[in-house]
Amino acid sequence: MALAKPTQDATDARLDALSIPQDAGWSLAARQEALGRLKLMGMPHRRDEYWRFTNPADFNAVAPVAAPPMDVSDEKPLYEGMEQLRIVFVDGVFDPEASDDLAGEGIEIARLAEAGRADIHWARDLYGLLEARGQSPVDRPLCALNTAFATDGVLIRVTGKVSRPVSIVYRHENATSDAILHHVVQLTEGAELTLLETGCVAARANTVLETDVADHATFHHVRSQGRNHDRRAATAGFARLGRQSTYKSFTLTANGAMTRNEHVVEFTGDDATAHVAAAAIGDGADDPFHNDDTVFITHNAKNCESRQVFKKVLKNGAVGVFQGKILVKKDAQKTDGYQISQALLLDDDSQFLAKPELEIYADDVACSHGSTTGAIDEEALFYLRSRGMPKARAEDLLVLAFLAETLEEIDDEDIAAALNERLAAWLDRHAS
C-alpha cells in the first residue's frame, strides 16, 4: 500500500538528509533491513493511532529546532560519590577523556562505531533484532530510523554479577546537535547489571536501547533525562525476557519541550518479572513541556508479572501523555499484569491524556489498569498548613509524596534518594 503523499514527502526528505555509516561492517544487513521497514511504514503522522496525542513534526524535520545548552553548574552531578563505570557522550559523540576504562570483571563493553570494524562480534545477532520484533503489531518508524542510521552507541555483554553500575553520561553543548545513538545490552544466564543514563543527549536525540535478558538474569535501568528546557528527545527501550529473569526500568523526566519515551517488553520465558515506571514533572510557564510515555508489554509465557507505574506532575499548560498496553497471548496463563497512570494537575491549563489498554486471550490471569487525574488534596494541604507549614512548602511535600510510588520501583535506595533530591531541587527552582 502506497504512503499518503504528506507522509511520503516527509519520509523522503528525512532519508535524503541521512546516510548509513560507511564503517557499518556486520551491522550493515540489519541497518538495510531497518531502512526497508522505514520506507514501507513512513515517518510517524498525527493520524497514526499511537501518535494522535503527540505531534511528531519535530522528529520528522530534516534539521532540529535549536536548543541552547543550559548552565547546570548549580547542580551537583547525579550519583556523586557512587562507584560507577562512566561512559560519556557529548552531543552524541563519545568523549574518551571524560570516560573510564571500558574494561571490567564479568562485563565486555565496546562502542558501536568501533565494533563494526571487527569481522565477528557478539552483537551481530542482536543489533536491530528486538527493534524489528517490536514493530508488530505497532509500527515504530523512529526506532527503525535509529537502527538504520545510528552513528554510535554502547554494546555491553554481561557474563557475571557486575558490582558497580555502568553509567552513560550525556552532555549537551551544541545548540543544533542532532544525535542518533543505539545501545545493545546482552545479559547471559544468571548475569546482573545496573545501567544508569543521565543528562541531555543533544538538542534533538533519537536513542534506542535493546536489552536481551537471559534465564535467571537481572537488569536494572535508571534514567534521568536532564534539565534542558528546549530539547527534543525520542527514546525507545526494547527488552526480551527469558525464564525467571528480572527487568526493571525507571525514567525521570524534568523539563524538555518534547519527550517521547517508548517501552516495548516481551516475555518469552516463564516466571519472569518486568517493572516499568516513570516520574515526569513539567512547567510550561516559560517553555513548552510535552511528555509522552508509550508502553507495550507482551505476555507470551506462563506465570509472569508485569507492572507499569507512571505519574506526572504538570503546571502552567504542561501536557502529559500515557499510552499503555498489556497484551496477554492465549498460552500465557497465570499472568499478573498491573498498570497505573496518574497525573497531578497544579492548575486548570495543564492536561493529561491517557489511553490504557488490556488485550487478553488467556483465561487464567489477573490483570488490572487504572488512570486518574486530579488536583492537590485540599484536606491534606489544610492539614499541613494548620501546623504552620507555608503553602508552597506543603504543596512540594504533597507532590513528592505523589511521585514516591514510582521511586519505590527502584531497588537501590541510594539511587532512589538521589533522584528524590533532584525532584526536590526542581520544585525549589519552579516555586510559585
Side-chain angles (χ1 to χ4, degrees), residues 21 78 267 331 366:
L78 199 55
F267 290 94
D331 293 328

Side-chain angles (χ1 to χ4, degrees), residues 158-162 187-193 214-218 243:
V158 188
T159 57
K161 294 187 177 182
V162 182
L187 292 99
T188 62
E189 184 170 355
E192 184 172 343
L193 175 70
D215 298 349
H216 305 282
T218 300
R243 184 167 53 88

Side-chain angles (χ1 to χ4, degrees), residues 181-322:
L181 297 176
H182 193 114
H183 309 306
V184 178
V185 179
Q186 181 188 54
L187 292 99
T188 62
E189 184 170 355
E192 184 172 343
L193 175 70
T194 295
L195 178 67
L196 308 175
E197 291 186 86
T198 59
C200 176
V201 180
R204 180 175 68 178
N206 179 333
T207 65
V208 164
L209 170 63
E210 296 184 286
T211 307
D212 192 32
V213 189
D215 298 349
H216 305 282
T218 300
F219 180 69
H220 296 278
H221 174 231
V222 180
R223 173 173 56 186
S224 175
Q225 295 187 296
R227 279 175 56 185
N228 193 286
H229 293 302
D230 299 315
R231 62 171 168 77
R232 275 80 174 166
T235 80
F238 296 88
R240 178 173 62 180
L241 278 63
R243 184 167 53 88
Q244 296 184 26
S245 63
T246 300
Y247 172 90
K248 292 189 176 183
S249 178
F250 172 87
T251 299
L252 170 62
T253 304
N255 300 348
M258 175 73 70
T259 306
R260 163 91 168 198
N261 296 320
E262 294 192 45
H263 302 268
V264 183
V265 180
E266 181 183 10
F267 290 94
T268 59
D270 299 342
D271 305 299
T273 300
H275 292 190
V276 182
I281 187 164
D283 184 348
D286 299 318
D287 301 279
F289 177 88
H290 186 105
N291 171 255
D292 179 338
D293 286 303
T294 296
V295 186
F296 200 111
I297 295 183
T298 301
H299 285 263
N300 199 18
K302 296 180 178 65
N303 198 37
C304 293
E305 173 193 294
S306 68
R307 282 176 58 86
Q308 301 175 45
V309 181
F310 287 78
K311 295 197 175 189
K312 304 179 191 291
V313 177
L314 308 168
K315 63 188 293 188
N316 294 319
V319 178
V321 175
F322 173 78

Side-chain angles (χ1 to χ4, degrees), residues 44-57 60:
H45 192 278
R46 287 297 292 273
R47 289 193 300 267
D48 298 343
E49 177 65 19
Y50 286 93
W51 282 94
R52 62 191 179 115
F53 296 139
T54 299
N55 188 346
N60 293 347

